[in-house]
Amino acid sequence: MEGRIEDIRPCIRGGVGCASHARFNKTLACELNPSIGNEPMETKANTPVIHPKKVVVVGGGPGGMEAARLAAHRGHKVTLYEKTPELGGRLIEASIPSFKKISVL
């Protein structure tokens, strides 16, 4: 509604979080947005730190990216290191299931 397209985390249709949890009346969860269904964590994440520090995060997979995002959001100076050319880790493969393969003509 606010037009912040860059803040959208597209669904990879993993089915582990939202679909399976909703089916069994469990708390909603999401592979890409761990704050869904965990509002106390998001409340703490929105609290600025009193003494910002330099933080190094090694690994640009989903966990590393979320740790870097939360630390920066709270006011720390974050450096994220990833050995591969792309961020995302195993979510890259998970976002392209076999039934979505692109066929080359």
Side-chain angles (χ1 to χ4, degrees):
M1 288 175 49
E2 295 175 0
R4 298 179 328 203
I5 302 300
E6 68 278 359
D7 289 346
I8 294 174
R9 299 180 193 186
C11 180
I12 63 168
R13 294 175 46 192
V16 175
C18 59
S20 64
H21 282 71
R23 191 175 308 130
F24 297 108
N25 273 343
K26 294 182 181 177
T27 304
L28 190 63
C30 176
E31 294 92 343
L32 296 178
N33 189 354
S35 64
I36 296 291
N38 194 1
E39 282 68 27
M41 180 182 91
E42 194 62 26
T43 301
K44 183 172 182 169
N46 287 324
T47 307
V49 293
I50 296 170
H51 303 290
K53 298 180 180 182
K54 292 180 181 177
V55 175
V56 173
V57 178
V58 180
M65 289 191 302
E66 183 64 10
R69 185 190 75 81
L70 286 175
H73 184 71
R74 294 194 66 201
H76 295 294
K77 172 73 175 154
V78 179
T79 304
L80 174 63
Y81 290 98
E82 169 57 36
K83 68 180 176 180
T84 65
E86 289 184 299
L87 295 175
R90 295 290 185 195
L91 285 180
I92 295 170
E93 296 100 42
S95 67
I96 308 171
S98 59
F99 60 86
K100 286 186 172 181
K101 285 186 181 177
I102 299 171
S103 59
V104 179
L105 298 175

